[in-house]
Amino acid sequence: MRKHWKTLIFAAMTAAVLSCGVSAFAVSDVHATVYLDPVFVEGREVYCWTPLGKQTDYLSYNGTTYIPIRTAGEWMGKNVAWDEASKTITLSGTSEKVYHNQTEYEADDQTLEKLRNEGMTVKLRDDIKVVVDGKTQDFKNAKGEAVYPIHYNNMNYLPVRNIGELLNMTVKYLPKTDRSQSTIFLRTALTDAQVQEGLNYVKALQELESYQNATLPASLVAKFDARTNAVNQQGVAASKSMFQCFSSVWDQVTLEESKAFTQAALSSIQKMIDTPCPDLAVLSAKHAEMVTAAQDALTAFQKVQAAIDAGKDATTIAQMLGNDSSGSSSACSTVDYVGAAVNEMYTVLSESYTRQS
């Protein structure tokens, strides 16, 4: 009889555990690593900050990349709350979405190096419940397997893929290759037509930089062609940017060629600013960066035009346009920031990434 009662008690306890959803590893120590490769959200390369405004890294465990709950709330535009008694993370309400740039790390360099080389012990927490706008969430990875929050350094972390899905964003992971880092892209879903519209815009900006589409003296075009052919013969695809080309031959140009180039540059940069950008969230941040950089470049070339109008000599004008060895930035080098923003637009539209690791 006593044996029978023990059996009944054990069965009842087992049923209670199962009904409450408590597993054998509700809180268990596991080994995680730092995820250092790029993460893009709506066209921005984004970073995680602690409550103290210091940068911290993404974490990776068992093939899943994690972000601090604070970062998740910032991306989602939600207020974050933690209830210790019920072990519940709540994301609710509406707040301004925040995407952070790089800043100073909270940890010192020695600690960072150790963590990045050796990883760290984190707590896997399947006892934590996540509620978003009143709805309890069950997170799964790309294979459909259950994934759970993790806890590290007094912060709870959530899977980045699931946060993207809660934002109704597409989530794409590019694995590491011998030419590039792995990359994660989160963005509002785009139709093929929208992607093509964005790519057409990027192409239009790139064509405005090309010397082959600018009104330039034949003598200057010949110098650009010679430079381009020389680079191509080395097995490297030469840039057709008139700004990069001028920077390579600035010490070979005449005053008349510099004058014509300055006028072409002013026209090209203004057209970049004026060309309408498609209304796509994934482009908005980089478009704003491009316009700001283009306005700075326009100011630089306007200063060159003022020097031309003041009767400065050929060497002075050419140096202002293309010589960076004197310790000050040339007008042409200011356009590098424009080109970088345009290239980033292509990256987030095509969801490709080729930065060397």
Side-chain angles (χ1 to χ4, degrees):
M1 184 69 176
R2 182 178 297 173
K3 182 177 180 181
H4 176 68
W5 275 108
K6 286 183 177 179
T7 302
L8 289 176
I9 292 170
F10 176 78
M13 290 174 64
T14 301
V17 167
L18 291 175
S19 67
C20 291
V22 178
S23 72
F25 59 94
V27 179
S28 55
D29 289 343
V30 296
H31 184 262
T33 57
V34 173
Y35 181 85
L36 292 172
D37 293 342
V39 177
F40 288 89
V41 178
E42 290 291 36
R44 305 164 174 84
E45 188 170 356
V46 293
Y47 301 85
C48 304
W49 284 17
T50 69
L52 297 177
K54 302 293 185 179
Q55 188 170 323
T56 188
D57 289 322
Y58 300 96
L59 300 183
S60 179
Y61 166 67
N62 198 28
T64 296
T65 303
Y66 288 81
I67 59 174
I69 182 63
R70 170 189 171 87
T71 303
E74 290 172 338
W75 291 3
M76 297 175 71
K78 297 290 182 185
N79 301 310
V80 179
W82 164 251
D83 182 67
E84 175 64 28
S86 63
K87 301 293 188 291
T88 301
I89 296 170
T90 302
L91 296 101
S92 62
T94 302
S95 61
E96 183 178 359
K97 293 183 179 180
V98 177
Y99 303 105
H100 292 298
N101 295 320
Q102 286 180 296
T103 190
E104 180 183 357
Y105 271 92
E106 186 170 62
D108 59 71
D109 292 343
Q110 185 175 357
T111 301
L112 283 173
E113 183 177 4
K114 181 178 176 64
L115 290 173
R116 291 170 177 178
N117 290 335
E118 302 176 10
M120 71 288 292
T121 298
V122 303
K123 292 188 180 297
L124 184 65
R125 299 290 302 268
D126 83 329
D127 62 329
I128 288 179
K129 181 168 64 174
V130 180
V131 178
V132 179
D133 291 332
K135 183 177 180 181
T136 300
Q137 303 297 315
D138 293 316
F139 295 140
K140 297 184 183 298
N141 61 19
K143 298 178 182 178
E145 301 165 337
V147 290
Y148 304 100
I150 60 177
H151 185 84
Y152 172 70
N153 197 24
N154 296 318
M155 291 190 293
N156 289 312
Y157 286 70
L158 299 179
V160 66
R161 171 179 291 277
N162 302 106
I163 297 305
E165 291 170 349
L166 287 170
L167 284 164
N168 294 318
M169 291 183 177
T170 60
V171 182
K172 182 175 181 178
Y173 173 78
L174 293 183
K176 182 177 181 179
T177 70
D178 58 354
R179 296 185 61 250
S180 66
Q181 298 165 293
S182 62
T183 314
I184 297 173
F185 293 95
L186 290 81
R187 74 180 187 193
T188 301
L190 299 175
T191 65
D192 290 344
Q194 287 174 316
V195 172
Q196 191 58 54
E197 181 185 16
L199 292 174
N200 289 343
Y201 170 69
V202 170
K203 183 179 179 181
L205 296 180
Q206 291 171 334
E207 289 179 346
L208 285 170
E209 275 197 71
S210 173
Y211 73 85
Q212 294 175 326
N213 298 318
T215 303
L216 297 169
S219 59
L220 185 56
V221 172
K223 292 170 183 175
F224 288 175
D225 284 340
R227 175 261 183 191
T228 300
N229 292 335
V231 173
N232 286 337
Q233 287 174 4
Q234 297 174 9
V236 179
S239 170
K240 298 294 180 65
S241 165
M242 63 179 178
F243 305 102
Q244 293 185 23
C245 287
F246 192 96
S247 293
S248 298
V249 302
W250 70 267
D251 56 347
Q252 305 171 29
V253 301
T254 66
L255 180 58
E256 292 305 313
E257 288 170 343
S258 290
K259 289 179 178 180
F261 179 81
T262 301
Q263 285 297 307
L266 287 167
S267 174
S268 172
I269 296 168
Q270 188 61 58
K271 288 177 181 176
M272 289 181 185
I273 295 172
D274 294 340
T275 300
C277 178
D279 185 18
L280 302 175
V282 73
L283 291 183
S284 61
K286 291 302 170 184
H287 172 257
E289 287 183 20
M290 186 277 294
V291 170
T292 298
Q295 289 170 337
D296 291 341
L298 198 64
T299 298
F301 278 95
Q302 287 168 344
K303 290 180 180 178
V304 176
Q305 185 60 55
I308 291 172
D309 295 340
K312 298 294 183 180
D313 61 90
T315 301
T316 298
I317 298 303
Q319 287 181 332
M320 290 180 69
L321 285 170
N323 182 20
D324 289 306
S325 61
S326 61
S328 59
S329 298
S330 68
C332 285
S333 68
T334 63
V335 187
D336 291 345
Y337 299 102
V338 178
V342 173
N343 290 339
E344 290 278 6
M345 288 187 211
Y346 177 82
T347 292
V348 297
L349 281 166
S350 61
E351 292 185 322
S352 61
Y353 201 76
T354 56
R355 181 189 297 172
Q356 294 296 319
S357 58

